[in-house]
Amino acid sequence: DFGLVIAADGPRSATRSQLGLPWWSHSYSQGCLTAKVRFRDIDSDKAFECFRPEGPLAILPLGDADFQVVWSAPLHQCRRLAGLQASAFLDQLCTILPHGLEPDALLDSPAAFPLEISLAPKLHRENVVLVGESGHRCHPVGGQGLNLCWRDAETLLQLMSSASCVRRGLKSVPARYSRRRYFDLLTVGFATDILVRLFSSRQSGLLLVRRFGLLILKHSSWFRRVSLQAMSDGPSTLLHPLPK
C-alpha cells in the first residue's frame, strides 16, 4: 500500500522541517494585515487593487457585501492597526480607500504578519507532498497567494482522480504534482515580486513603465482579459483560448 501524505501545515511547516526539505526565502520590508469587512452600496462581484506608496491594498469579494481586505504596509504599522478597536480600525481604513468604497462593519479580528517570497525547491519526498504555503509563499498582491493554494489543491485532486492514477495507484502522484506546479509557482512568484518592486519605486524610468502598463490596461479589453485569466487560473492557461 502507498499512503499519500498531504502536508498543508503552513509556511513554518513542521512536516517540511522533519523531512529536511530545503526552503528558499526572502523577506520583504513590508507586513500584511488581513481583515474581513462589510461594505455598503458596493458591487459584490468586483475586486479592487490599489497600488499605494507603502504597499498594495486588495479588496477581494467573499459574497454579498463582505470583502477580504489585504493591506500591505510596514510591519509595525500593520501590527498597530491590528490592535485598534473596530471603529478606529474602520476610520483608518476609510482614509486610504478609493472614492465610493465605504466600510460598514468589521467582521473579524484583523491579523498582521510579515511578508516574504519563499519556495521549497522540491515539493515532495517519497509519499509526502507539500501543498499550499508549506511549499511556497508570495506577496499577496492581487490575492495571488490564495489563488496558488487553490490551484495546488485542484492539481492534486485531478492527479488523484486521473485514469492513470486509478490504474497505477498513488505512487506516481507526488512527482507528477511537483512537475505540474513548478511553472505556476515560479512565474506567479516572479510576477508578484516585479509588481511590488515596480509600484513601490519612485524612479522616473520605472514610473514611466508603470504608467504605460496602466494605460494599456485602461484601454485594452483584450489585455485586461489576459491579465485576469493569468491571475485567476494561472499563467499556463494563457496557452488555451480566452473565455468569452
Side-chain angles (χ1 to χ4, degrees):
D1 291 339
F2 185 86
L4 184 66
V5 177
I6 300 172
D9 46 352
R12 305 295 175 253
S13 171
T15 306
R16 187 186 66 237
S17 299
Q18 290 170 3
L19 292 174
L21 290 172
W23 181 243
W24 299 340
S25 183
H26 168 73
S27 297
Y28 290 108
S29 58
Q30 289 179 332
C32 182
L33 181 143
T34 62
K36 292 181 181 178
V37 176
R38 179 163 295 151
F39 285 79
R40 65 173 69 101
D41 300 326
I42 190 172
D43 187 339
S44 60
D45 293 329
K46 286 186 177 179
F48 302 86
E49 184 75 35
C50 308
F51 290 98
R52 308 176 60 251
E54 63 180 11
L57 171 72
I59 303 170
L60 309 172
L62 298 174
D64 298 325
D66 299 343
F67 286 75
Q68 184 78 40
V69 172
V70 184
W71 185 346
S72 300
L75 182 58
H76 66 87
Q77 181 179 339
C78 291
R79 287 173 171 161
R80 178 186 64 81
L81 291 165
L84 295 176
Q85 296 293 323
S87 59
F89 176 83
L90 294 177
D91 287 342
Q92 289 287 310
L93 181 60
C94 278
T95 65
I96 66 168
L97 288 173
H99 177 72
L101 295 182
E102 300 181 28
D104 199 32
L106 180 63
L107 303 179
D108 66 354
S109 298
F113 51 89
L115 291 179
E116 62 185 42
I117 180 171
S118 308
L119 180 67
K122 189 174 183 182
L123 294 173
H124 77 282
R125 175 164 291 173
E126 297 178 351
N127 66 329
V128 180
V129 292
L130 302 179
V131 176
E133 290 198 338
S134 63
H136 53 82
R137 292 190 82 187
C138 69
H139 197 288
V141 58
Q144 290 308 291
L146 179 60
N147 286 350
L148 286 176
C149 293
W150 281 119
R151 293 200 291 271
D152 283 352
E154 181 183 26
T155 299
L156 191 59
L157 181 61
Q158 288 174 350
L159 290 173
M160 292 174 66
S161 58
S162 66
S164 61
C165 182
V166 171
R167 291 194 307 269
R168 298 185 297 173
L170 296 173
K171 287 187 177 181
S172 64
V173 168
R176 293 174 66 198
Y177 169 81
S178 292
R179 289 194 298 269
R180 284 204 185 183
R181 293 303 300 136
Y182 252 101
F183 177 77
D184 192 15
L185 297 179
L186 289 172
T187 51
V188 171
F190 178 74
T192 55
D193 186 73
I194 290 295
L195 276 175
V196 170
R197 295 179 189 277
L198 177 63
F199 280 89
S200 62
S201 173
R202 305 303 298 173
Q203 295 182 12
S204 57
L206 292 180
L207 285 174
L208 288 174
V209 172
R210 188 168 77 191
R211 289 168 182 163
F212 180 69
L214 291 174
L215 190 66
I216 293 177
L217 276 174
K218 181 179 180 180
H219 294 287
S220 171
S221 60
W222 178 86
F223 196 75
R224 288 196 300 271
R225 290 174 64 200
V226 167
S227 301
L228 182 60
Q229 181 177 346
M231 292 174 66
S232 301
D233 302 321
S236 61
T237 63
L238 296 181
L239 301 176
H240 306 152
L242 285 175
K244 294 184 180 180

